[in-house]
Short mmCIF file of all heavy atoms in Angstrom, two decimals:
data_model
loop_
_atom_site.label_atom_id
_atom_site.label_comp_id
_atom_site.label_asym_id
_atom_site.label_seq_id
_atom_site.Cartn_x
_atom_site.Cartn_y
_atom_site.Cartn_z
N MET A 39 -27.15 12.12 -21.27
CA MET A 39 -25.88 12.72 -20.95
C MET A 39 -24.95 12.69 -22.15
O MET A 39 -24.83 11.69 -22.81
CB MET A 39 -25.24 11.99 -19.74
CG MET A 39 -24.07 12.72 -19.16
SD MET A 39 -23.34 11.83 -17.78
CE MET A 39 -22.32 10.67 -18.65
N LYS A 40 -24.34 13.85 -22.34
CA LYS A 40 -23.42 13.95 -23.51
C LYS A 40 -22.05 13.58 -23.05
O LYS A 40 -21.49 14.13 -22.10
CB LYS A 40 -23.43 15.39 -24.01
CG LYS A 40 -22.78 15.50 -25.36
CD LYS A 40 -23.23 16.79 -26.05
CE LYS A 40 -22.47 17.00 -27.36
NZ LYS A 40 -21.44 18.01 -27.20
N ILE A 41 -21.46 12.62 -23.73
CA ILE A 41 -20.08 12.24 -23.34
C ILE A 41 -19.10 12.83 -24.36
O ILE A 41 -19.26 12.69 -25.57
CB ILE A 41 -19.96 10.69 -23.35
CG1 ILE A 41 -20.82 10.12 -22.20
CG2 ILE A 41 -18.51 10.24 -23.16
CD1 ILE A 41 -20.81 8.65 -22.07
N LYS A 42 -18.10 13.47 -23.77
CA LYS A 42 -17.11 14.12 -24.61
C LYS A 42 -15.75 13.54 -24.36
O LYS A 42 -15.43 13.08 -23.24
CB LYS A 42 -17.04 15.63 -24.28
CG LYS A 42 -18.07 16.45 -25.02
CD LYS A 42 -18.05 17.87 -24.60
CE LYS A 42 -16.70 18.51 -24.83
NZ LYS A 42 -16.61 19.88 -24.20
N THR A 43 -14.91 13.54 -25.39
CA THR A 43 -13.55 13.09 -25.24
C THR A 43 -12.73 14.29 -24.68
O THR A 43 -12.97 15.44 -25.02
CB THR A 43 -12.96 12.73 -26.60
OG1 THR A 43 -13.78 11.67 -27.11
CG2 THR A 43 -11.55 12.21 -26.53
N CYS A 44 -11.78 13.96 -23.85
CA CYS A 44 -10.85 15.00 -23.28
C CYS A 44 -10.18 15.79 -24.39
O CYS A 44 -9.72 15.24 -25.41
CB CYS A 44 -9.78 14.29 -22.43
SG CYS A 44 -8.55 15.41 -21.78
N LYS A 45 -10.09 17.09 -24.19
CA LYS A 45 -9.53 17.93 -25.21
C LYS A 45 -8.03 17.67 -25.49
O LYS A 45 -7.53 17.98 -26.51
CB LYS A 45 -9.75 19.41 -24.90
CG LYS A 45 -8.97 19.93 -23.69
CD LYS A 45 -9.25 21.39 -23.51
CE LYS A 45 -8.48 21.94 -22.28
NZ LYS A 45 -8.77 23.36 -22.06
N TRP A 46 -7.43 17.03 -24.51
CA TRP A 46 -5.98 16.73 -24.68
C TRP A 46 -5.73 15.39 -25.37
O TRP A 46 -4.59 15.02 -25.67
CB TRP A 46 -5.29 16.72 -23.26
CG TRP A 46 -5.37 18.04 -22.59
CD1 TRP A 46 -6.10 18.27 -21.43
CD2 TRP A 46 -4.81 19.28 -22.93
NE1 TRP A 46 -6.01 19.59 -21.09
CE2 TRP A 46 -5.22 20.23 -21.99
CE3 TRP A 46 -3.99 19.68 -24.01
CZ2 TRP A 46 -4.82 21.56 -22.04
CZ3 TRP A 46 -3.59 21.02 -24.08
CH2 TRP A 46 -4.00 21.94 -23.10
N TYR A 47 -6.79 14.68 -25.62
CA TYR A 47 -6.64 13.30 -26.10
C TYR A 47 -5.75 13.15 -27.34
O TYR A 47 -4.89 12.28 -27.41
CB TYR A 47 -8.02 12.72 -26.37
CG TYR A 47 -8.06 11.24 -26.71
CD1 TYR A 47 -7.53 10.28 -25.87
CD2 TYR A 47 -8.67 10.81 -27.90
CE1 TYR A 47 -7.57 8.94 -26.19
CE2 TYR A 47 -8.73 9.47 -28.24
CZ TYR A 47 -8.20 8.53 -27.37
OH TYR A 47 -8.22 7.20 -27.70
N PRO A 48 -5.92 14.05 -28.36
CA PRO A 48 -5.09 13.90 -29.59
C PRO A 48 -3.58 14.03 -29.32
O PRO A 48 -2.77 13.54 -30.14
CB PRO A 48 -5.59 15.04 -30.49
CG PRO A 48 -6.89 15.40 -29.94
CD PRO A 48 -6.88 15.19 -28.48
N VAL A 49 -3.19 14.73 -28.26
CA VAL A 49 -1.77 14.91 -28.03
C VAL A 49 -1.28 14.28 -26.73
O VAL A 49 -0.12 14.42 -26.38
CB VAL A 49 -1.45 16.45 -27.98
CG1 VAL A 49 -1.69 17.09 -29.32
CG2 VAL A 49 -2.24 17.19 -26.91
N CYS A 50 -2.15 13.53 -26.06
CA CYS A 50 -1.74 13.00 -24.75
C CYS A 50 -1.03 11.65 -24.96
O CYS A 50 -1.48 10.81 -25.72
CB CYS A 50 -2.99 12.77 -23.93
SG CYS A 50 -2.63 12.30 -22.24
N PRO A 51 0.11 11.46 -24.27
CA PRO A 51 0.87 10.22 -24.45
C PRO A 51 0.14 8.98 -23.97
O PRO A 51 0.47 7.83 -24.39
CB PRO A 51 2.15 10.44 -23.63
CG PRO A 51 1.84 11.53 -22.71
CD PRO A 51 0.82 12.38 -23.37
N ILE A 52 -0.86 9.17 -23.10
CA ILE A 52 -1.56 7.98 -22.58
C ILE A 52 -2.23 7.22 -23.72
O ILE A 52 -2.19 6.00 -23.76
CB ILE A 52 -2.60 8.44 -21.51
CG1 ILE A 52 -1.90 9.09 -20.33
CG2 ILE A 52 -3.51 7.24 -21.08
CD1 ILE A 52 -0.85 8.22 -19.64
N LYS A 53 -2.83 7.92 -24.67
CA LYS A 53 -3.44 7.28 -25.84
C LYS A 53 -2.41 6.45 -26.62
O LYS A 53 -2.73 5.32 -27.01
CB LYS A 53 -4.00 8.40 -26.76
CG LYS A 53 -4.37 7.92 -28.14
CD LYS A 53 -4.55 9.13 -29.05
CE LYS A 53 -4.92 8.87 -30.46
NZ LYS A 53 -4.95 7.53 -30.96
N TYR A 54 -1.20 6.98 -26.79
CA TYR A 54 -0.16 6.28 -27.57
C TYR A 54 0.28 5.03 -26.82
O TYR A 54 0.54 4.00 -27.42
CB TYR A 54 0.98 7.21 -27.91
CG TYR A 54 0.52 8.29 -28.83
CD1 TYR A 54 0.27 9.56 -28.39
CD2 TYR A 54 0.34 8.00 -30.20
CE1 TYR A 54 -0.20 10.56 -29.26
CE2 TYR A 54 -0.10 8.99 -31.08
CZ TYR A 54 -0.38 10.28 -30.57
OH TYR A 54 -0.81 11.23 -31.45
N PHE A 55 0.44 5.12 -25.49
CA PHE A 55 0.86 3.97 -24.71
C PHE A 55 -0.21 2.89 -24.79
O PHE A 55 0.12 1.71 -24.90
CB PHE A 55 1.06 4.37 -23.25
CG PHE A 55 2.30 5.23 -23.03
CD1 PHE A 55 2.25 6.29 -22.11
CD2 PHE A 55 3.48 4.99 -23.72
CE1 PHE A 55 3.38 7.08 -21.90
CE2 PHE A 55 4.61 5.78 -23.48
CZ PHE A 55 4.55 6.85 -22.57
N VAL A 56 -1.48 3.25 -24.78
CA VAL A 56 -2.53 2.28 -24.93
C VAL A 56 -2.51 1.64 -26.31
O VAL A 56 -2.57 0.41 -26.48
CB VAL A 56 -3.89 2.86 -24.62
CG1 VAL A 56 -5.08 1.92 -25.00
CG2 VAL A 56 -4.01 3.23 -23.13
N ASP A 57 -2.36 2.49 -27.36
CA ASP A 57 -2.33 2.00 -28.74
C ASP A 57 -1.16 1.02 -28.92
O ASP A 57 -1.22 0.09 -29.68
CB ASP A 57 -2.17 3.16 -29.71
CG ASP A 57 -3.45 3.94 -29.87
OD1 ASP A 57 -4.50 3.48 -29.39
OD2 ASP A 57 -3.36 5.04 -30.46
N GLN A 58 -0.06 1.24 -28.21
CA GLN A 58 1.14 0.39 -28.31
C GLN A 58 1.02 -0.85 -27.45
O GLN A 58 1.92 -1.69 -27.41
CB GLN A 58 2.36 1.16 -27.95
CG GLN A 58 2.76 2.28 -28.92
CD GLN A 58 3.77 3.24 -28.35
OE1 GLN A 58 4.30 3.06 -27.27
NE2 GLN A 58 4.11 4.27 -29.13
N GLY A 59 -0.10 -0.96 -26.73
CA GLY A 59 -0.22 -2.14 -25.88
C GLY A 59 0.52 -2.04 -24.55
O GLY A 59 0.67 -3.09 -23.85
N LYS A 60 1.01 -0.87 -24.23
CA LYS A 60 1.83 -0.73 -23.01
C LYS A 60 1.01 -0.41 -21.81
O LYS A 60 1.51 -0.48 -20.67
CB LYS A 60 2.91 0.37 -23.21
CG LYS A 60 3.94 -0.03 -24.25
CD LYS A 60 4.92 1.10 -24.45
CE LYS A 60 5.98 0.71 -25.45
NZ LYS A 60 6.81 1.91 -25.84
N LEU A 61 -0.22 0.02 -22.00
CA LEU A 61 -1.11 0.35 -20.91
C LEU A 61 -2.47 -0.26 -21.14
O LEU A 61 -2.89 -0.48 -22.25
CB LEU A 61 -1.31 1.89 -20.81
CG LEU A 61 -0.30 2.73 -20.04
CD1 LEU A 61 -0.74 4.19 -20.10
CD2 LEU A 61 -0.09 2.26 -18.64
N ASP A 62 -3.17 -0.58 -20.01
CA ASP A 62 -4.53 -1.11 -20.06
C ASP A 62 -5.48 -0.13 -20.69
O ASP A 62 -5.46 1.11 -20.29
CB ASP A 62 -4.93 -1.42 -18.60
CG ASP A 62 -6.18 -2.26 -18.53
OD1 ASP A 62 -7.13 -2.00 -19.29
OD2 ASP A 62 -6.22 -3.18 -17.68
N PRO A 63 -6.30 -0.52 -21.65
CA PRO A 63 -7.28 0.38 -22.26
C PRO A 63 -8.22 1.07 -21.30
O PRO A 63 -8.87 2.05 -21.59
CB PRO A 63 -8.04 -0.48 -23.26
CG PRO A 63 -7.19 -1.66 -23.50
CD PRO A 63 -6.35 -1.86 -22.22
N LYS A 64 -8.27 0.49 -20.05
CA LYS A 64 -9.19 1.05 -19.03
C LYS A 64 -8.86 2.54 -18.82
O LYS A 64 -9.78 3.33 -18.47
CB LYS A 64 -9.13 0.31 -17.74
CG LYS A 64 -7.86 0.60 -16.95
CD LYS A 64 -7.90 -0.02 -15.54
CE LYS A 64 -6.65 0.40 -14.77
NZ LYS A 64 -6.55 -0.14 -13.42
N TRP A 65 -7.61 2.96 -18.98
CA TRP A 65 -7.24 4.33 -18.73
C TRP A 65 -7.97 5.26 -19.67
O TRP A 65 -8.48 6.27 -19.27
CB TRP A 65 -5.72 4.52 -18.80
CG TRP A 65 -4.99 3.80 -17.72
CD1 TRP A 65 -4.18 2.74 -17.87
CD2 TRP A 65 -5.01 4.08 -16.30
NE1 TRP A 65 -3.72 2.31 -16.61
CE2 TRP A 65 -4.22 3.18 -15.68
CE3 TRP A 65 -5.68 5.07 -15.57
CZ2 TRP A 65 -4.04 3.13 -14.31
CZ3 TRP A 65 -5.52 5.08 -14.14
CH2 TRP A 65 -4.67 4.10 -13.56
N VAL A 66 -7.92 4.95 -20.98
CA VAL A 66 -8.63 5.84 -21.92
C VAL A 66 -10.14 5.74 -21.77
O VAL A 66 -10.86 6.71 -21.92
CB VAL A 66 -8.21 5.63 -23.39
CG1 VAL A 66 -6.81 6.08 -23.65
CG2 VAL A 66 -8.41 4.20 -23.83
N GLU A 67 -10.59 4.53 -21.44
CA GLU A 67 -12.04 4.34 -21.30
C GLU A 67 -12.61 5.06 -20.09
O GLU A 67 -13.71 5.58 -20.11
CB GLU A 67 -12.38 2.78 -21.19
CG GLU A 67 -12.12 2.07 -22.52
CD GLU A 67 -12.04 0.56 -22.28
OE1 GLU A 67 -12.24 0.05 -21.19
OE2 GLU A 67 -11.74 -0.10 -23.31
N GLU A 68 -11.83 5.04 -19.02
CA GLU A 68 -12.34 5.69 -17.76
C GLU A 68 -12.00 7.14 -17.60
O GLU A 68 -12.55 7.83 -16.73
CB GLU A 68 -11.83 4.87 -16.57
CG GLU A 68 -12.41 3.44 -16.56
CD GLU A 68 -11.81 2.61 -15.43
OE1 GLU A 68 -11.03 3.09 -14.59
OE2 GLU A 68 -12.10 1.38 -15.41
N TYR A 69 -11.05 7.60 -18.40
CA TYR A 69 -10.65 9.00 -18.25
C TYR A 69 -10.80 9.76 -19.60
O TYR A 69 -11.70 10.58 -19.75
CB TYR A 69 -9.18 9.11 -17.80
CG TYR A 69 -9.01 8.76 -16.31
CD1 TYR A 69 -8.80 7.47 -15.92
CD2 TYR A 69 -9.04 9.77 -15.37
CE1 TYR A 69 -8.62 7.14 -14.60
CE2 TYR A 69 -8.86 9.47 -14.00
CZ TYR A 69 -8.66 8.14 -13.63
OH TYR A 69 -8.51 7.85 -12.30
N CYS A 70 -9.99 9.41 -20.59
CA CYS A 70 -9.88 10.22 -21.78
C CYS A 70 -11.20 10.27 -22.61
O CYS A 70 -11.60 11.36 -23.04
CB CYS A 70 -8.80 9.70 -22.68
SG CYS A 70 -7.32 9.23 -21.77
N LEU A 71 -11.83 9.13 -22.79
CA LEU A 71 -13.00 9.11 -23.64
C LEU A 71 -14.24 9.66 -22.98
O LEU A 71 -15.26 9.87 -23.64
CB LEU A 71 -13.26 7.69 -24.14
CG LEU A 71 -12.10 7.08 -25.00
CD1 LEU A 71 -12.43 5.60 -25.42
CD2 LEU A 71 -11.83 7.95 -26.20
N VAL A 72 -14.23 9.87 -21.71
CA VAL A 72 -15.42 10.41 -21.00
C VAL A 72 -15.08 11.73 -20.31
O VAL A 72 -15.77 12.19 -19.44
CB VAL A 72 -15.95 9.40 -19.95
CG1 VAL A 72 -16.50 8.15 -20.66
CG2 VAL A 72 -14.85 8.98 -18.93
N GLU A 73 -14.02 12.37 -20.80
CA GLU A 73 -13.59 13.69 -20.28
C GLU A 73 -13.62 13.75 -18.79
O GLU A 73 -14.23 14.62 -18.16
CB GLU A 73 -14.46 14.78 -20.86
CG GLU A 73 -13.89 16.17 -20.81
CD GLU A 73 -14.83 17.26 -21.27
OE1 GLU A 73 -16.02 17.15 -21.02
OE2 GLU A 73 -14.35 18.27 -21.82
N ASN A 74 -12.94 12.81 -18.15
CA ASN A 74 -12.91 12.71 -16.71
C ASN A 74 -11.89 13.75 -16.15
O ASN A 74 -10.71 13.62 -16.24
CB ASN A 74 -12.44 11.31 -16.28
CG ASN A 74 -12.50 11.09 -14.78
OD1 ASN A 74 -12.56 12.07 -14.01
ND2 ASN A 74 -12.49 9.85 -14.37
N LYS A 75 -12.48 14.82 -15.54
CA LYS A 75 -11.64 15.89 -15.09
C LYS A 75 -10.95 15.58 -13.75
O LYS A 75 -10.24 16.42 -13.25
CB LYS A 75 -12.47 17.19 -15.00
CG LYS A 75 -12.77 17.65 -16.44
CD LYS A 75 -13.52 18.95 -16.48
CE LYS A 75 -13.69 19.36 -17.98
NZ LYS A 75 -14.72 20.32 -18.20
N ASN A 76 -11.17 14.41 -13.20
CA ASN A 76 -10.37 13.96 -12.09
C ASN A 76 -8.99 13.55 -12.51
O ASN A 76 -8.13 13.27 -11.67
CB ASN A 76 -11.08 12.79 -11.38
CG ASN A 76 -12.34 13.20 -10.67
OD1 ASN A 76 -12.41 14.30 -10.12
ND2 ASN A 76 -13.31 12.36 -10.77
N CYS A 77 -8.78 13.43 -13.84
CA CYS A 77 -7.47 13.05 -14.35
C CYS A 77 -6.41 14.07 -13.85
O CYS A 77 -6.52 15.27 -14.07
CB CYS A 77 -7.47 13.04 -15.86
SG CYS A 77 -5.84 12.67 -16.55
N VAL A 78 -5.38 13.50 -13.22
CA VAL A 78 -4.32 14.37 -12.63
C VAL A 78 -3.54 15.05 -13.79
O VAL A 78 -3.14 16.18 -13.65
CB VAL A 78 -3.38 13.57 -11.72
CG1 VAL A 78 -2.30 14.41 -11.18
CG2 VAL A 78 -4.19 12.98 -10.55
N ARG A 79 -3.40 14.31 -14.87
CA ARG A 79 -2.70 14.87 -16.01
C ARG A 79 -3.46 16.08 -16.55
O ARG A 79 -2.90 17.13 -16.85
CB ARG A 79 -2.55 13.85 -17.16
CG ARG A 79 -1.69 12.63 -16.84
CD ARG A 79 -1.40 11.86 -18.11
NE ARG A 79 -0.73 12.64 -19.07
CZ ARG A 79 0.63 12.65 -19.12
NH1 ARG A 79 1.39 11.97 -18.31
NH2 ARG A 79 1.22 13.47 -19.99
N TYR A 80 -4.78 15.93 -16.68
CA TYR A 80 -5.65 16.98 -17.14
C TYR A 80 -5.52 18.23 -16.22
O TYR A 80 -5.33 19.35 -16.71
CB TYR A 80 -7.09 16.50 -17.12
CG TYR A 80 -8.08 17.60 -17.54
CD1 TYR A 80 -8.45 17.76 -18.87
CD2 TYR A 80 -8.68 18.43 -16.61
CE1 TYR A 80 -9.31 18.76 -19.26
CE2 TYR A 80 -9.53 19.43 -16.96
CZ TYR A 80 -9.87 19.61 -18.31
OH TYR A 80 -10.73 20.58 -18.73
N GLN A 81 -5.58 18.02 -14.94
CA GLN A 81 -5.53 19.14 -14.00
C GLN A 81 -4.22 19.85 -14.07
O GLN A 81 -4.12 21.08 -14.05
CB GLN A 81 -5.77 18.63 -12.56
CG GLN A 81 -7.20 18.12 -12.36
CD GLN A 81 -7.39 17.32 -11.09
OE1 GLN A 81 -6.49 17.26 -10.28
NE2 GLN A 81 -8.59 16.78 -10.93
N MET A 82 -3.11 19.09 -14.20
CA MET A 82 -1.79 19.74 -14.27
C MET A 82 -1.59 20.44 -15.57
O MET A 82 -1.03 21.52 -15.66
CB MET A 82 -0.68 18.67 -14.08
CG MET A 82 -0.76 18.09 -12.64
SD MET A 82 0.56 16.92 -12.26
CE MET A 82 1.90 18.09 -11.86
N GLU A 83 -2.16 19.86 -16.64
CA GLU A 83 -2.07 20.51 -17.95
C GLU A 83 -2.82 21.85 -17.89
O GLU A 83 -2.34 22.89 -18.37
CB GLU A 83 -2.73 19.56 -18.97
CG GLU A 83 -2.45 19.90 -20.42
CD GLU A 83 -0.98 19.54 -20.82
OE1 GLU A 83 -0.61 18.39 -20.70
OE2 GLU A 83 -0.32 20.46 -21.27
N GLU A 84 -4.00 21.86 -17.32
CA GLU A 84 -4.80 23.09 -17.19
C GLU A 84 -4.05 24.13 -16.40
O GLU A 84 -4.17 25.34 -16.66
CB GLU A 84 -6.10 22.83 -16.44
CG GLU A 84 -7.11 22.01 -17.25
CD GLU A 84 -7.58 22.74 -18.51
OE1 GLU A 84 -8.28 23.73 -18.36
OE2 GLU A 84 -7.28 22.30 -19.62
N ASN A 85 -3.23 23.70 -15.39
CA ASN A 85 -2.53 24.66 -14.57
C ASN A 85 -1.10 24.98 -15.10
O ASN A 85 -0.36 25.71 -14.46
CB ASN A 85 -2.38 24.09 -13.15
CG ASN A 85 -3.74 24.01 -12.45
OD1 ASN A 85 -4.60 24.83 -12.68
ND2 ASN A 85 -3.92 23.01 -11.60
N GLY A 86 -0.82 24.42 -16.24
CA GLY A 86 0.47 24.65 -16.82
C GLY A 86 1.63 24.05 -16.01
O GLY A 86 2.75 24.56 -16.05
N GLU A 87 1.34 22.98 -15.27
CA GLU A 87 2.35 22.33 -14.44
C GLU A 87 3.02 21.19 -15.12
O GLU A 87 2.35 20.38 -15.79
CB GLU A 87 1.70 21.85 -13.13
CG GLU A 87 1.19 22.97 -12.26
CD GLU A 87 0.28 22.50 -11.15
OE1 GLU A 87 -0.12 21.28 -11.10
OE2 GLU A 87 -0.10 23.30 -10.26
N PHE A 88 4.35 21.08 -14.94
CA PHE A 88 5.04 19.96 -15.54
C PHE A 88 4.58 18.64 -15.03
O PHE A 88 4.33 18.47 -13.84
CB PHE A 88 6.56 20.08 -15.28
CG PHE A 88 7.30 18.86 -15.74
CD1 PHE A 88 7.64 18.72 -17.09
CD2 PHE A 88 7.67 17.86 -14.86
CE1 PHE A 88 8.24 17.54 -17.53
CE2 PHE A 88 8.33 16.74 -15.27
CZ PHE A 88 8.62 16.58 -16.63
N HIS A 89 4.44 17.64 -15.92
CA HIS A 89 4.16 16.28 -15.51
C HIS A 89 4.80 15.36 -16.50
O HIS A 89 4.79 15.56 -17.68
CB HIS A 89 2.64 16.00 -15.41
CG HIS A 89 1.86 16.50 -16.62
ND1 HIS A 89 1.65 17.84 -16.84
CD2 HIS A 89 1.31 15.84 -17.64
CE1 HIS A 89 0.96 17.96 -17.93
NE2 HIS A 89 0.74 16.74 -18.47
N PRO A 90 5.46 14.30 -16.02
CA PRO A 90 6.20 13.41 -16.88
C PRO A 90 5.26 12.58 -17.78
O PRO A 90 4.11 12.35 -17.47
CB PRO A 90 6.96 12.48 -15.90
CG PRO A 90 6.25 12.57 -14.62
CD PRO A 90 5.61 13.93 -14.59
N GLU A 91 5.80 12.14 -18.92
CA GLU A 91 5.05 11.34 -19.90
C GLU A 91 4.47 10.07 -19.24
O GLU A 91 3.42 9.61 -19.65
CB GLU A 91 5.96 10.90 -21.03
CG GLU A 91 6.58 12.04 -21.83
CD GLU A 91 5.76 12.27 -23.11
OE1 GLU A 91 5.76 11.37 -23.95
OE2 GLU A 91 5.21 13.37 -23.27
N ASN A 92 5.22 9.51 -18.30
CA ASN A 92 4.78 8.24 -17.72
C ASN A 92 3.94 8.39 -16.48
O ASN A 92 3.82 7.47 -15.70
CB ASN A 92 6.00 7.36 -17.42
CG ASN A 92 6.98 7.95 -16.39
OD1 ASN A 92 6.83 9.16 -16.03
ND2 ASN A 92 7.91 7.19 -15.92
N MET A 93 3.32 9.51 -16.28
CA MET A 93 2.41 9.70 -15.19
C MET A 93 1.03 9.34 -15.65
O MET A 93 0.52 9.82 -16.64
CB MET A 93 2.41 11.17 -14.67
CG MET A 93 1.74 11.27 -13.30
SD MET A 93 1.64 13.00 -12.78
CE MET A 93 0.25 13.54 -13.77
N LEU A 94 0.40 8.42 -14.90
CA LEU A 94 -0.95 7.93 -15.27
C LEU A 94 -2.05 8.93 -14.82
O LEU A 94 -1.79 9.81 -14.04
CB LEU A 94 -1.21 6.59 -14.56
CG LEU A 94 -0.21 5.47 -14.91
CD1 LEU A 94 -0.48 4.21 -14.12
CD2 LEU A 94 -0.24 5.16 -16.43
N PRO A 95 -3.24 8.77 -15.41
CA PRO A 95 -4.36 9.65 -15.02
C PRO A 95 -4.62 9.77 -13.56
O PRO A 95 -5.13 10.80 -13.09
CB PRO A 95 -5.55 9.10 -15.79
CG PRO A 95 -4.95 8.44 -17.00
CD PRO A 95 -3.64 7.84 -16.50
N ASN A 96 -4.28 8.72 -12.78
CA ASN A 96 -4.50 8.79 -11.32
C ASN A 96 -3.32 9.38 -10.59
O ASN A 96 -3.29 9.41 -9.35
CB ASN A 96 -4.86 7.42 -10.80
CG ASN A 96 -3.68 6.46 -10.82
OD1 ASN A 96 -2.60 6.76 -11.35
ND2 ASN A 96 -3.90 5.23 -10.29
N GLY A 97 -2.29 9.80 -11.35
CA GLY A 97 -1.15 10.48 -10.70
C GLY A 97 0.04 9.54 -10.40
O GLY A 97 1.11 10.02 -10.04
N ASP A 98 -0.24 8.22 -10.52
CA ASP A 98 0.89 7.27 -10.29
C ASP A 98 1.92 7.34 -11.44
O ASP A 98 1.58 7.65 -12.56
CB ASP A 98 0.35 5.80 -10.25
CG ASP A 98 -0.39 5.48 -9.01
OD1 ASP A 98 -0.35 6.33 -8.08
OD2 ASP A 98 -1.01 4.42 -8.93
N ILE A 99 3.15 7.08 -11.07
CA ILE A 99 4.23 7.03 -12.10
C ILE A 99 4.43 5.59 -12.45
O ILE A 99 4.66 4.72 -11.60
CB ILE A 99 5.52 7.64 -11.55
CG1 ILE A 99 5.32 9.12 -11.13
CG2 ILE A 99 6.64 7.52 -12.57
CD1 ILE A 99 5.10 10.10 -12.27
N GLN A 100 4.38 5.31 -13.79
CA GLN A 100 4.59 3.94 -14.24
C GLN A 100 6.04 3.88 -14.76
O GLN A 100 6.37 4.32 -15.82
CB GLN A 100 3.60 3.65 -15.39
CG GLN A 100 3.81 2.27 -16.02
CD GLN A 100 2.71 1.30 -15.60
OE1 GLN A 100 1.89 1.58 -14.72
NE2 GLN A 100 2.68 0.15 -16.24
N GLN A 101 6.88 3.21 -13.95
CA GLN A 101 8.31 3.26 -14.26
C GLN A 101 8.73 2.63 -15.54
O GLN A 101 9.69 3.06 -16.18
CB GLN A 101 9.10 2.56 -13.09
CG GLN A 101 9.04 3.30 -11.76
CD GLN A 101 9.69 4.66 -11.74
OE1 GLN A 101 10.34 5.05 -12.70
NE2 GLN A 101 9.52 5.43 -10.68
N ASP A 102 8.03 1.58 -16.01
CA ASP A 102 8.50 0.87 -17.19
C ASP A 102 7.92 1.42 -18.52
O ASP A 102 8.04 0.79 -19.54
CB ASP A 102 8.19 -0.63 -17.06
CG ASP A 102 6.74 -0.94 -16.91
OD1 ASP A 102 5.91 0.04 -16.70
OD2 ASP A 102 6.37 -2.12 -16.94
N LEU A 103 7.39 2.59 -18.53
CA LEU A 103 6.89 3.16 -19.78
C LEU A 103 7.99 3.89 -20.49
O LEU A 103 8.78 4.59 -19.87
CB LEU A 103 5.75 4.15 -19.48
CG LEU A 103 4.36 3.55 -19.30
CD1 LEU A 103 3.32 4.62 -19.01
CD2 LEU A 103 3.93 2.77 -20.56
S1 LIG B 242 -4.82 11.08 -19.76
FE1 LIG B 242 -5.96 12.74 -18.87
S2 LIG B 242 -5.20 14.56 -19.94
FE2 LIG B 242 -4.62 12.77 -21.15
S3 LIG B 242 -6.29 12.58 -22.62
FE3 LIG B 242 -6.67 11.22 -20.91
S4 LIG B 242 -8.05 12.44 -19.61
FE4 LIG B 242 -7.02 13.85 -20.97
#
């Protein structure tokens, strides 16, 4: 199986939050690095829908980000 990184990864804030130690690396491991299209951010991006920077891949809002 070929594993691809999400096409939004270079510009997605989730990567930066993980790099800064503000989010658990599990988010990039379980979504971004394996092109998980269940990511709510991904789906909204594809549909051109607004989504806040602090919305996690599962759609939860993380207030302290
Ligand atoms: S959070 Fe979602 S949209 Fe952003 S890079 Fe990861 S998988 Fe892609």
Side-chain angles (χ1 to χ4, degrees):
M39 191 180 82
K40 191 159 176 259
I41 294 181
K42 277 175 60 189
T43 301
C44 175
K45 68 178 179 182
W46 301 112
Y47 188 57
V49 295
C50 188
I52 297 303
K53 167 196 180 350
Y54 294 100
F55 291 141
V56 169
D57 286 349
Q58 291 166 5
K60 293 179 179 169
L61 276 181
D62 192 317
K64 74 172 186 181
W65 293 111
V66 290
E67 290 162 5
E68 295 176 5
Y69 287 87
C70 318
L71 298 180
V72 293
E73 200 187 32
N74 185 343
K75 291 183 174 163
N76 291 322
C77 176
V78 178
R79 297 191 61 89
Y80 177 90
Q81 293 168 5
M82 294 185 81
E83 197 71 59
E84 289 295 293
N85 293 328
E87 294 168 349
F88 173 78
H89 47 287
E91 297 263 297
N92 62 349
M93 194 184 80
L94 300 177
N96 69 356
D98 286 351
I99 301 291
Q100 177 106 352
Q101 292 297 350
D102 59 351
L103 276 177

